[in-house]
Short mmCIF file of all heavy atoms in Angstrom, two decimals:
data_model
loop_
_atom_site.label_atom_id
_atom_site.label_comp_id
_atom_site.label_asym_id
_atom_site.label_seq_id
_atom_site.Cartn_x
_atom_site.Cartn_y
_atom_site.Cartn_z
N MET C 90 -8.31 -5.68 -10.61
CA MET C 90 -7.73 -4.35 -10.49
C MET C 90 -7.91 -3.82 -9.07
O MET C 90 -8.98 -3.88 -8.49
CB MET C 90 -8.41 -3.39 -11.46
CG MET C 90 -7.55 -2.14 -11.64
SD MET C 90 -8.38 -0.90 -12.57
CE MET C 90 -9.54 -0.35 -11.31
N ALA C 91 -6.82 -3.30 -8.53
CA ALA C 91 -6.88 -2.81 -7.15
C ALA C 91 -7.86 -1.65 -7.05
O ALA C 91 -7.90 -0.81 -7.92
CB ALA C 91 -5.49 -2.35 -6.70
N ASN C 92 -8.67 -1.66 -5.99
CA ASN C 92 -9.60 -0.55 -5.86
C ASN C 92 -9.33 0.29 -4.63
O ASN C 92 -10.08 1.19 -4.33
CB ASN C 92 -11.04 -1.04 -5.90
CG ASN C 92 -11.25 -2.27 -5.05
OD1 ASN C 92 -10.39 -2.65 -4.28
ND2 ASN C 92 -12.38 -2.88 -5.21
N LYS C 93 -8.24 -0.06 -3.94
CA LYS C 93 -7.86 0.79 -2.80
C LYS C 93 -6.34 0.88 -2.76
O LYS C 93 -5.67 -0.11 -3.01
CB LYS C 93 -8.36 0.18 -1.49
CG LYS C 93 -9.87 0.18 -1.33
CD LYS C 93 -10.32 1.20 -0.34
CE LYS C 93 -11.82 1.14 -0.16
NZ LYS C 93 -12.33 2.31 0.57
N GLU C 94 -5.85 2.08 -2.43
CA GLU C 94 -4.39 2.28 -2.29
C GLU C 94 -4.11 2.91 -0.93
O GLU C 94 -4.83 3.81 -0.51
CB GLU C 94 -3.87 3.25 -3.35
CG GLU C 94 -3.72 2.64 -4.72
CD GLU C 94 -2.80 3.46 -5.64
OE1 GLU C 94 -2.09 4.38 -5.15
OE2 GLU C 94 -2.80 3.15 -6.84
N TYR C 95 -3.09 2.42 -0.26
CA TYR C 95 -2.68 2.96 1.04
C TYR C 95 -1.19 3.25 0.97
O TYR C 95 -0.42 2.38 0.59
CB TYR C 95 -3.00 1.97 2.15
CG TYR C 95 -4.47 1.64 2.22
CD1 TYR C 95 -4.99 0.56 1.51
CD2 TYR C 95 -5.36 2.45 2.92
CE1 TYR C 95 -6.34 0.28 1.52
CE2 TYR C 95 -6.71 2.19 2.95
CZ TYR C 95 -7.20 1.11 2.24
OH TYR C 95 -8.55 0.85 2.25
N THR C 96 -0.85 4.48 1.29
CA THR C 96 0.54 4.92 1.08
C THR C 96 1.16 5.52 2.34
O THR C 96 0.48 6.14 3.13
CB THR C 96 0.55 5.98 -0.06
OG1 THR C 96 0.05 5.35 -1.23
CG2 THR C 96 1.95 6.49 -0.35
N LYS C 97 2.44 5.23 2.48
CA LYS C 97 3.28 5.97 3.43
C LYS C 97 4.59 6.23 2.69
O LYS C 97 4.84 5.66 1.64
CB LYS C 97 3.47 5.22 4.74
CG LYS C 97 4.30 3.96 4.67
CD LYS C 97 4.37 3.25 6.00
CE LYS C 97 5.18 4.03 6.99
NZ LYS C 97 4.87 3.67 8.36
N GLU C 98 5.46 7.01 3.21
CA GLU C 98 6.65 7.51 2.50
C GLU C 98 7.01 6.64 1.30
O GLU C 98 6.70 6.90 0.16
CB GLU C 98 7.88 7.59 3.39
CG GLU C 98 7.73 8.35 4.67
CD GLU C 98 7.33 7.43 5.85
OE1 GLU C 98 7.83 6.30 5.90
OE2 GLU C 98 6.45 7.83 6.61
N ASP C 99 7.64 5.52 1.57
CA ASP C 99 8.25 4.71 0.51
C ASP C 99 7.45 3.47 0.14
O ASP C 99 7.96 2.59 -0.56
CB ASP C 99 9.65 4.29 0.98
CG ASP C 99 9.54 3.58 2.34
OD1 ASP C 99 8.42 3.60 2.92
OD2 ASP C 99 10.55 3.05 2.81
N LEU C 100 6.21 3.39 0.57
CA LEU C 100 5.45 2.16 0.35
C LEU C 100 4.00 2.45 -0.02
O LEU C 100 3.34 3.25 0.62
CB LEU C 100 5.48 1.30 1.63
CG LEU C 100 4.73 -0.03 1.59
CD1 LEU C 100 5.43 -1.00 0.66
CD2 LEU C 100 4.61 -0.61 3.00
N THR C 101 3.53 1.79 -1.09
CA THR C 101 2.11 1.86 -1.45
C THR C 101 1.56 0.44 -1.50
O THR C 101 2.09 -0.41 -2.19
CB THR C 101 1.89 2.55 -2.81
OG1 THR C 101 2.35 3.91 -2.70
CG2 THR C 101 0.42 2.58 -3.19
N VAL C 102 0.53 0.21 -0.69
CA VAL C 102 -0.14 -1.09 -0.63
C VAL C 102 -1.43 -1.00 -1.44
O VAL C 102 -2.19 -0.04 -1.30
CB VAL C 102 -0.44 -1.49 0.82
CG1 VAL C 102 -1.31 -2.74 0.88
CG2 VAL C 102 0.86 -1.71 1.59
N LEU C 103 -1.64 -2.00 -2.31
CA LEU C 103 -2.86 -2.05 -3.12
C LEU C 103 -3.77 -3.15 -2.58
O LEU C 103 -3.28 -4.20 -2.15
CB LEU C 103 -2.50 -2.38 -4.57
CG LEU C 103 -1.46 -1.46 -5.24
CD1 LEU C 103 -1.11 -2.00 -6.63
CD2 LEU C 103 -1.98 -0.04 -5.32
N TRP C 104 -5.08 -2.89 -2.59
CA TRP C 104 -6.03 -3.93 -2.19
C TRP C 104 -7.07 -4.11 -3.28
O TRP C 104 -7.72 -3.16 -3.72
CB TRP C 104 -6.75 -3.54 -0.89
CG TRP C 104 -7.60 -4.64 -0.37
CD1 TRP C 104 -7.18 -5.83 0.13
CD2 TRP C 104 -9.03 -4.67 -0.29
NE1 TRP C 104 -8.26 -6.60 0.50
CE2 TRP C 104 -9.41 -5.90 0.28
CE3 TRP C 104 -10.02 -3.76 -0.63
CZ2 TRP C 104 -10.73 -6.25 0.50
CZ3 TRP C 104 -11.34 -4.11 -0.42
CH2 TRP C 104 -11.68 -5.35 0.14
N ASP C 105 -7.20 -5.36 -3.75
CA ASP C 105 -8.17 -5.70 -4.79
C ASP C 105 -9.27 -6.54 -4.16
O ASP C 105 -9.09 -7.74 -3.92
CB ASP C 105 -7.47 -6.48 -5.92
CG ASP C 105 -8.42 -6.84 -7.05
OD1 ASP C 105 -9.65 -6.78 -6.84
OD2 ASP C 105 -7.93 -7.21 -8.14
N SER C 106 -10.39 -5.90 -3.88
CA SER C 106 -11.48 -6.58 -3.15
C SER C 106 -11.98 -7.82 -3.89
O SER C 106 -12.37 -8.80 -3.25
CB SER C 106 -12.64 -5.61 -2.93
OG SER C 106 -13.13 -5.15 -4.18
N SER C 107 -11.90 -7.82 -5.21
CA SER C 107 -12.43 -8.96 -5.98
C SER C 107 -11.61 -10.22 -5.75
O SER C 107 -12.10 -11.33 -5.98
CB SER C 107 -12.44 -8.61 -7.47
OG SER C 107 -11.10 -8.50 -7.95
N LYS C 108 -10.39 -10.08 -5.26
CA LYS C 108 -9.53 -11.26 -5.04
C LYS C 108 -9.55 -11.72 -3.58
O LYS C 108 -9.13 -12.82 -3.27
CB LYS C 108 -8.07 -10.92 -5.38
CG LYS C 108 -7.79 -10.73 -6.86
CD LYS C 108 -6.30 -10.51 -7.05
CE LYS C 108 -5.95 -10.26 -8.51
NZ LYS C 108 -4.52 -9.81 -8.62
N CYS C 109 -10.05 -10.87 -2.68
CA CYS C 109 -9.95 -11.18 -1.25
C CYS C 109 -10.79 -12.40 -0.86
O CYS C 109 -11.96 -12.50 -1.25
CB CYS C 109 -10.40 -9.98 -0.43
SG CYS C 109 -10.31 -10.27 1.34
N ILE C 110 -10.21 -13.34 -0.13
CA ILE C 110 -10.93 -14.54 0.35
C ILE C 110 -11.21 -14.43 1.84
O ILE C 110 -11.56 -15.41 2.49
CB ILE C 110 -10.15 -15.82 0.00
CG1 ILE C 110 -8.74 -15.78 0.61
CG2 ILE C 110 -10.13 -16.06 -1.50
CD1 ILE C 110 -7.97 -17.07 0.50
N HIS C 111 -11.02 -13.20 2.39
CA HIS C 111 -11.38 -12.93 3.79
C HIS C 111 -10.72 -13.92 4.75
O HIS C 111 -11.37 -14.45 5.65
CB HIS C 111 -12.91 -12.90 3.93
CG HIS C 111 -13.53 -11.93 2.97
ND1 HIS C 111 -13.40 -10.56 3.12
CD2 HIS C 111 -14.15 -12.13 1.79
CE1 HIS C 111 -13.99 -9.95 2.10
NE2 HIS C 111 -14.45 -10.89 1.26
N SER C 112 -9.47 -14.17 4.54
CA SER C 112 -8.73 -15.11 5.40
C SER C 112 -8.48 -14.52 6.78
O SER C 112 -8.31 -15.25 7.74
CB SER C 112 -7.38 -15.43 4.75
OG SER C 112 -6.58 -14.25 4.77
N GLY C 113 -8.40 -13.20 6.85
CA GLY C 113 -8.13 -12.57 8.14
C GLY C 113 -6.65 -12.60 8.51
O GLY C 113 -6.27 -12.14 9.60
N ILE C 114 -5.83 -13.14 7.63
CA ILE C 114 -4.39 -13.28 7.96
C ILE C 114 -3.76 -11.91 8.23
O ILE C 114 -2.94 -11.77 9.13
CB ILE C 114 -3.66 -14.01 6.80
CG1 ILE C 114 -4.05 -15.48 6.84
CG2 ILE C 114 -2.15 -13.83 6.88
CD1 ILE C 114 -3.60 -16.29 5.65
N TRP C 115 -4.19 -10.93 7.49
CA TRP C 115 -3.58 -9.61 7.65
C TRP C 115 -3.81 -9.04 9.04
O TRP C 115 -2.86 -8.55 9.68
CB TRP C 115 -4.04 -8.63 6.59
CG TRP C 115 -5.52 -8.40 6.53
CD1 TRP C 115 -6.48 -8.98 7.30
CD2 TRP C 115 -6.21 -7.58 5.62
NE1 TRP C 115 -7.70 -8.54 6.91
CE2 TRP C 115 -7.56 -7.68 5.90
CE3 TRP C 115 -5.76 -6.76 4.60
CZ2 TRP C 115 -8.51 -6.98 5.18
CZ3 TRP C 115 -6.72 -6.08 3.88
CH2 TRP C 115 -8.08 -6.17 4.17
N ALA C 116 -5.02 -9.18 9.53
CA ALA C 116 -5.34 -8.60 10.84
C ALA C 116 -4.68 -9.39 11.96
O ALA C 116 -4.22 -8.83 12.95
CB ALA C 116 -6.86 -8.58 11.02
N LYS C 117 -4.55 -10.71 11.76
CA LYS C 117 -3.90 -11.54 12.79
C LYS C 117 -2.41 -11.21 12.85
O LYS C 117 -1.82 -11.12 13.92
CB LYS C 117 -4.09 -13.03 12.47
CG LYS C 117 -5.52 -13.51 12.65
CD LYS C 117 -5.62 -15.05 12.51
CE LYS C 117 -7.07 -15.44 12.24
NZ LYS C 117 -7.27 -15.92 10.83
N GLY C 118 -1.83 -10.97 11.68
CA GLY C 118 -0.38 -10.77 11.61
C GLY C 118 0.09 -9.38 12.00
O GLY C 118 1.18 -9.23 12.56
N LEU C 119 -0.72 -8.34 11.70
CA LEU C 119 -0.31 -6.96 12.01
C LEU C 119 -1.55 -6.16 12.40
O LEU C 119 -2.00 -5.25 11.68
CB LEU C 119 0.39 -6.36 10.78
CG LEU C 119 1.40 -5.24 11.00
CD1 LEU C 119 2.53 -5.64 11.94
CD2 LEU C 119 1.97 -4.76 9.67
N PRO C 120 -2.12 -6.50 13.58
CA PRO C 120 -3.40 -5.89 13.98
C PRO C 120 -3.34 -4.37 14.16
O PRO C 120 -4.38 -3.71 14.05
CB PRO C 120 -3.72 -6.59 15.31
CG PRO C 120 -2.43 -7.15 15.78
CD PRO C 120 -1.60 -7.42 14.56
N GLU C 121 -2.16 -3.80 14.39
CA GLU C 121 -2.07 -2.35 14.58
C GLU C 121 -2.20 -1.60 13.25
O GLU C 121 -2.49 -0.40 13.24
CB GLU C 121 -0.75 -1.96 15.28
CG GLU C 121 0.52 -2.33 14.52
CD GLU C 121 1.06 -3.70 14.90
OE1 GLU C 121 0.24 -4.60 15.17
OE2 GLU C 121 2.30 -3.86 14.92
N VAL C 122 -2.02 -2.31 12.14
CA VAL C 122 -2.16 -1.68 10.81
C VAL C 122 -3.46 -2.10 10.13
O VAL C 122 -4.20 -1.27 9.61
CB VAL C 122 -0.95 -2.05 9.91
CG1 VAL C 122 -1.17 -1.58 8.48
CG2 VAL C 122 0.33 -1.46 10.49
N PHE C 123 -3.73 -3.39 10.14
CA PHE C 123 -4.90 -3.92 9.42
C PHE C 123 -6.06 -4.10 10.40
O PHE C 123 -6.04 -5.02 11.23
CB PHE C 123 -4.54 -5.23 8.73
CG PHE C 123 -3.45 -5.06 7.71
CD1 PHE C 123 -2.16 -5.53 7.96
CD2 PHE C 123 -3.69 -4.43 6.50
CE1 PHE C 123 -1.13 -5.35 7.03
CE2 PHE C 123 -2.68 -4.26 5.57
CZ PHE C 123 -1.39 -4.71 5.83
N LYS C 124 -7.03 -3.17 10.34
CA LYS C 124 -8.15 -3.12 11.30
C LYS C 124 -9.48 -3.16 10.56
O LYS C 124 -10.08 -2.11 10.30
CB LYS C 124 -8.04 -1.85 12.14
CG LYS C 124 -6.72 -1.69 12.87
CD LYS C 124 -6.69 -0.42 13.67
CE LYS C 124 -5.42 -0.36 14.49
NZ LYS C 124 -5.55 0.59 15.61
N PRO C 125 -9.97 -4.37 10.24
CA PRO C 125 -11.20 -4.49 9.43
C PRO C 125 -12.40 -3.73 10.00
O PRO C 125 -13.28 -3.34 9.23
CB PRO C 125 -11.47 -6.00 9.43
CG PRO C 125 -10.17 -6.62 9.80
CD PRO C 125 -9.40 -5.63 10.61
N LYS C 126 -12.44 -3.51 11.30
CA LYS C 126 -13.62 -2.84 11.88
C LYS C 126 -13.48 -1.31 11.83
O LYS C 126 -14.46 -0.59 12.05
CB LYS C 126 -13.83 -3.31 13.33
CG LYS C 126 -14.20 -4.79 13.43
CD LYS C 126 -14.74 -5.11 14.85
CE LYS C 126 -15.20 -6.56 14.93
NZ LYS C 126 -14.05 -7.53 14.84
N ASP C 127 -12.28 -0.83 11.54
CA ASP C 127 -12.05 0.62 11.53
C ASP C 127 -12.15 1.19 10.11
O ASP C 127 -12.17 0.46 9.14
CB ASP C 127 -10.66 0.94 12.08
CG ASP C 127 -10.57 0.67 13.58
OD1 ASP C 127 -11.54 0.09 14.12
OD2 ASP C 127 -9.54 1.02 14.16
N ARG C 128 -12.17 2.51 10.04
CA ARG C 128 -12.08 3.22 8.76
C ARG C 128 -11.09 4.36 8.92
O ARG C 128 -11.26 5.14 9.84
CB ARG C 128 -13.46 3.78 8.36
CG ARG C 128 -14.47 2.71 7.96
CD ARG C 128 -14.03 1.96 6.71
NE ARG C 128 -14.95 0.85 6.39
CZ ARG C 128 -14.80 -0.41 6.81
NH1 ARG C 128 -13.77 -0.73 7.58
NH2 ARG C 128 -15.66 -1.36 6.48
N PRO C 129 -10.04 4.53 8.15
CA PRO C 129 -9.67 3.49 7.20
C PRO C 129 -9.21 2.23 7.92
O PRO C 129 -8.77 2.29 9.06
CB PRO C 129 -8.51 4.11 6.42
CG PRO C 129 -7.86 5.04 7.42
CD PRO C 129 -9.01 5.56 8.27
N TRP C 130 -9.35 1.11 7.26
CA TRP C 130 -9.01 -0.12 7.93
C TRP C 130 -7.58 -0.55 7.63
O TRP C 130 -7.14 -1.58 8.08
CB TRP C 130 -10.01 -1.22 7.71
CG TRP C 130 -10.70 -1.18 6.41
CD1 TRP C 130 -11.81 -0.46 6.10
CD2 TRP C 130 -10.34 -1.90 5.24
NE1 TRP C 130 -12.14 -0.67 4.81
CE2 TRP C 130 -11.27 -1.55 4.24
CE3 TRP C 130 -9.33 -2.80 4.93
CZ2 TRP C 130 -11.21 -2.06 2.97
CZ3 TRP C 130 -9.29 -3.31 3.67
CH2 TRP C 130 -10.22 -2.94 2.71
N VAL C 131 -6.86 0.26 6.87
CA VAL C 131 -5.42 0.06 6.75
C VAL C 131 -4.77 1.34 7.26
O VAL C 131 -4.96 2.40 6.67
CB VAL C 131 -5.00 -0.23 5.30
CG1 VAL C 131 -3.49 -0.39 5.20
CG2 VAL C 131 -5.70 -1.49 4.79
N GLN C 132 -4.09 1.24 8.36
CA GLN C 132 -3.49 2.43 8.99
C GLN C 132 -1.97 2.32 8.92
O GLN C 132 -1.30 1.85 9.85
CB GLN C 132 -4.03 2.57 10.40
CG GLN C 132 -5.56 2.77 10.37
CD GLN C 132 -6.22 2.72 11.72
OE1 GLN C 132 -5.56 2.72 12.76
NE2 GLN C 132 -7.55 2.68 11.70
N MET C 133 -1.45 2.80 7.82
CA MET C 133 -0.03 2.62 7.49
C MET C 133 0.89 3.30 8.51
O MET C 133 2.05 2.90 8.68
CB MET C 133 0.25 3.20 6.10
CG MET C 133 -0.56 2.60 4.98
SD MET C 133 0.05 1.00 4.44
CE MET C 133 1.38 1.52 3.36
N GLU C 134 0.39 4.34 9.18
CA GLU C 134 1.24 5.09 10.12
C GLU C 134 1.57 4.28 11.36
O GLU C 134 2.47 4.66 12.13
CB GLU C 134 0.55 6.41 10.52
CG GLU C 134 -0.72 6.26 11.33
CD GLU C 134 -1.97 5.97 10.48
OE1 GLU C 134 -1.80 5.67 9.27
OE2 GLU C 134 -3.09 6.00 11.03
N ASN C 135 0.89 3.15 11.56
CA ASN C 135 1.05 2.39 12.81
C ASN C 135 2.16 1.36 12.81
O ASN C 135 2.32 0.62 13.78
CB ASN C 135 -0.28 1.71 13.18
CG ASN C 135 -1.34 2.73 13.54
OD1 ASN C 135 -1.03 3.90 13.79
ND2 ASN C 135 -2.58 2.30 13.52
N SER C 136 2.92 1.30 11.71
CA SER C 136 4.06 0.38 11.71
C SER C 136 5.08 0.83 10.66
O SER C 136 4.84 1.79 9.92
CB SER C 136 3.59 -1.05 11.41
OG SER C 136 4.67 -1.96 11.58
N ASP C 137 6.22 0.15 10.61
CA ASP C 137 7.26 0.50 9.62
C ASP C 137 6.98 -0.19 8.29
O ASP C 137 6.28 -1.20 8.23
CB ASP C 137 8.64 0.10 10.15
CG ASP C 137 8.70 -1.41 10.39
OD1 ASP C 137 8.19 -1.86 11.43
OD2 ASP C 137 9.14 -2.12 9.47
N SER C 138 7.56 0.34 7.25
CA SER C 138 7.29 -0.16 5.89
C SER C 138 7.67 -1.63 5.72
O SER C 138 6.93 -2.40 5.10
CB SER C 138 8.05 0.69 4.87
OG SER C 138 7.55 2.02 4.90
N GLU C 139 8.81 -2.05 6.29
CA GLU C 139 9.25 -3.44 6.11
C GLU C 139 8.26 -4.42 6.75
O GLU C 139 7.91 -5.43 6.17
CB GLU C 139 10.64 -3.65 6.68
CG GLU C 139 11.27 -4.99 6.29
CD GLU C 139 10.94 -5.43 4.84
OE1 GLU C 139 11.09 -4.60 3.92
OE2 GLU C 139 10.46 -6.58 4.66
N SER C 140 7.75 -4.09 7.94
CA SER C 140 6.80 -4.99 8.61
C SER C 140 5.50 -5.07 7.81
O SER C 140 4.92 -6.15 7.67
CB SER C 140 6.50 -4.47 10.02
OG SER C 140 7.70 -4.39 10.77
N ILE C 141 5.06 -3.94 7.28
CA ILE C 141 3.83 -3.93 6.48
C ILE C 141 4.03 -4.75 5.21
O ILE C 141 3.21 -5.61 4.88
CB ILE C 141 3.40 -2.49 6.16
CG1 ILE C 141 3.05 -1.73 7.44
CG2 ILE C 141 2.23 -2.47 5.17
CD1 ILE C 141 2.82 -0.23 7.25
N ALA C 142 5.14 -4.51 4.53
CA ALA C 142 5.42 -5.24 3.29
C ALA C 142 5.47 -6.74 3.54
O ALA C 142 4.92 -7.54 2.76
CB ALA C 142 6.73 -4.74 2.68
N GLU C 143 6.11 -7.12 4.64
CA GLU C 143 6.22 -8.53 4.99
C GLU C 143 4.83 -9.14 5.17
O GLU C 143 4.54 -10.24 4.68
CB GLU C 143 7.03 -8.65 6.28
CG GLU C 143 7.52 -10.06 6.58
CD GLU C 143 8.22 -10.07 7.94
OE1 GLU C 143 8.93 -9.09 8.26
OE2 GLU C 143 8.02 -11.06 8.69
N GLN C 144 3.92 -8.41 5.83
CA GLN C 144 2.57 -8.92 6.05
C GLN C 144 1.79 -8.99 4.74
O GLN C 144 1.05 -9.94 4.50
CB GLN C 144 1.83 -8.04 7.06
CG GLN C 144 0.52 -8.63 7.54
CD GLN C 144 0.69 -10.00 8.19
OE1 GLN C 144 1.60 -10.20 8.98
NE2 GLN C 144 -0.17 -10.94 7.82
N VAL C 145 1.98 -8.00 3.90
CA VAL C 145 1.28 -7.98 2.61
C VAL C 145 1.66 -9.22 1.79
O VAL C 145 0.82 -9.86 1.16
CB VAL C 145 1.61 -6.68 1.83
CG1 VAL C 145 1.20 -6.77 0.37
CG2 VAL C 145 0.95 -5.49 2.51
N ARG C 146 2.92 -9.60 1.86
CA ARG C 146 3.39 -10.76 1.09
C ARG C 146 2.74 -12.06 1.57
O ARG C 146 2.72 -13.05 0.85
CB ARG C 146 4.92 -10.87 1.18
CG ARG C 146 5.64 -9.75 0.43
CD ARG C 146 7.15 -9.95 0.42
NE ARG C 146 7.80 -8.66 0.18
CZ ARG C 146 8.48 -7.98 1.10
NH1 ARG C 146 8.58 -8.44 2.33
NH2 ARG C 146 9.03 -6.82 0.82
N LYS C 147 2.19 -12.05 2.78
CA LYS C 147 1.56 -13.26 3.32
C LYS C 147 0.10 -13.42 2.87
O LYS C 147 -0.53 -14.44 3.15
CB LYS C 147 1.62 -13.24 4.85
CG LYS C 147 3.03 -13.37 5.40
CD LYS C 147 3.05 -13.29 6.91
CE LYS C 147 4.50 -13.32 7.41
NZ LYS C 147 4.59 -12.86 8.83
N CYS C 148 -0.44 -12.42 2.17
CA CYS C 148 -1.84 -12.52 1.73
C CYS C 148 -1.97 -13.72 0.78
O CYS C 148 -1.30 -13.77 -0.26
CB CYS C 148 -2.27 -11.24 1.01
SG CYS C 148 -3.86 -11.39 0.21
N PRO C 149 -2.82 -14.70 1.08
CA PRO C 149 -2.88 -15.94 0.29
C PRO C 149 -3.53 -15.76 -1.08
O PRO C 149 -3.37 -16.61 -1.96
CB PRO C 149 -3.72 -16.87 1.16
CG PRO C 149 -4.56 -15.96 1.98
CD PRO C 149 -3.75 -14.71 2.20
N SER C 150 -4.26 -14.67 -1.30
CA SER C 150 -5.01 -14.54 -2.57
C SER C 150 -4.40 -13.52 -3.52
O SER C 150 -4.85 -13.41 -4.66
CB SER C 150 -6.45 -14.10 -2.25
OG SER C 150 -6.44 -12.77 -1.80
N GLY C 151 -3.45 -12.75 -3.01
CA GLY C 151 -2.92 -11.72 -3.88
C GLY C 151 -3.80 -10.47 -3.90
O GLY C 151 -3.54 -9.54 -4.66
N ALA C 152 -4.81 -10.46 -3.04
CA ALA C 152 -5.68 -9.28 -2.97
C ALA C 152 -4.89 -8.07 -2.48
O ALA C 152 -5.12 -6.95 -2.92
CB ALA C 152 -6.86 -9.55 -2.03
N LEU C 153 -3.94 -8.36 -1.61
CA LEU C 153 -3.03 -7.32 -1.13
C LEU C 153 -1.73 -7.42 -1.92
O LEU C 153 -1.22 -8.53 -2.11
CB LEU C 153 -2.67 -7.52 0.34
CG LEU C 153 -3.61 -7.04 1.40
CD1 LEU C 153 -3.08 -7.43 2.77
CD2 LEU C 153 -3.84 -5.55 1.31
N SER C 154 -1.25 -6.31 -2.38
CA SER C 154 0.04 -6.33 -3.10
C SER C 154 0.74 -4.99 -2.88
O SER C 154 0.16 -4.05 -2.34
CB SER C 154 -0.18 -6.59 -4.58
OG SER C 154 -0.98 -5.56 -5.14
N ILE C 155 1.99 -4.97 -3.29
CA ILE C 155 2.79 -3.75 -3.15
C ILE C 155 2.96 -3.12 -4.52
O ILE C 155 3.31 -3.82 -5.47
CB ILE C 155 4.14 -4.07 -2.50
CG1 ILE C 155 3.90 -4.53 -1.06
CG2 ILE C 155 5.08 -2.87 -2.54
CD1 ILE C 155 5.06 -5.19 -0.42
N LYS C 156 2.69 -1.84 -4.62
CA LYS C 156 2.80 -1.14 -5.90
C LYS C 156 4.27 -1.04 -6.32
O LYS C 156 5.12 -0.71 -5.45
CB LYS C 156 2.23 0.26 -5.76
CG LYS C 156 2.01 0.97 -7.09
CD LYS C 156 1.28 2.30 -6.84
CE LYS C 156 0.84 2.94 -8.13
NZ LYS C 156 0.08 4.18 -7.85
S1 LIG O 406 -4.91 -11.46 3.86
FE1 LIG O 406 -5.57 -11.15 1.74
S2 LIG O 406 -7.21 -12.65 1.42
FE2 LIG O 406 -6.89 -12.47 3.63
S3 LIG O 406 -8.39 -10.97 4.28
FE3 LIG O 406 -6.48 -9.86 3.85
S4 LIG O 406 -6.64 -9.22 1.73
FE4 LIG O 406 -8.21 -10.76 2.05
#
């Protein structure tokens, strides 16, 4: 079950920590949005919805998903 939600106008990203395998793919692919060292570490305002959604789809574990 997702334990974090990140939203911008038309997009809600869910993160389920129990599924995350810490691949780091998200930060490598869209570092302006996915910032593991920052809080919040998902900054949806830093990119457009399509780019974020595209990166979310690359998560290998399904920890990241789109609502
Ligand atoms: S891409 Fe998915 S598995 Fe990799 S660190 Fe991010 S949430 Fe975790």
Side-chain angles (χ1 to χ4, degrees):
M90 197 188 74
N92 45 10
K93 292 254 182 192
E94 283 198 12
Y95 301 92
T96 299
K97 68 183 291 158
E98 306 93 38
D99 55 352
L100 180 68
T101 297
V102 172
L103 306 175
W104 187 68
D105 181 344
S106 60
S107 68
K108 290 184 182 170
C109 180
I110 58 171
H111 306 289
S112 68
I114 287 171
W115 58 0
K117 289 188 199 109
L119 206 57
E121 61 268 35
V122 172
F123 299 106
K124 304 180 174 200
K126 294 194 176 69
D127 290 8
R128 290 297 175 268
W130 31 275
V131 178
Q132 298 172 10
M133 302 282 279
E134 66 278 12
N135 293 344
S136 187
D137 61 281
S138 296
E139 191 38 49
S140 301
I141 296 171
E143 194 184 321
Q144 190 58 44
V145 166
R146 291 185 202 109
K147 293 177 184 164
C148 171
S150 70
L153 278 177
S154 61
I155 294 165
K156 193 174 189 177

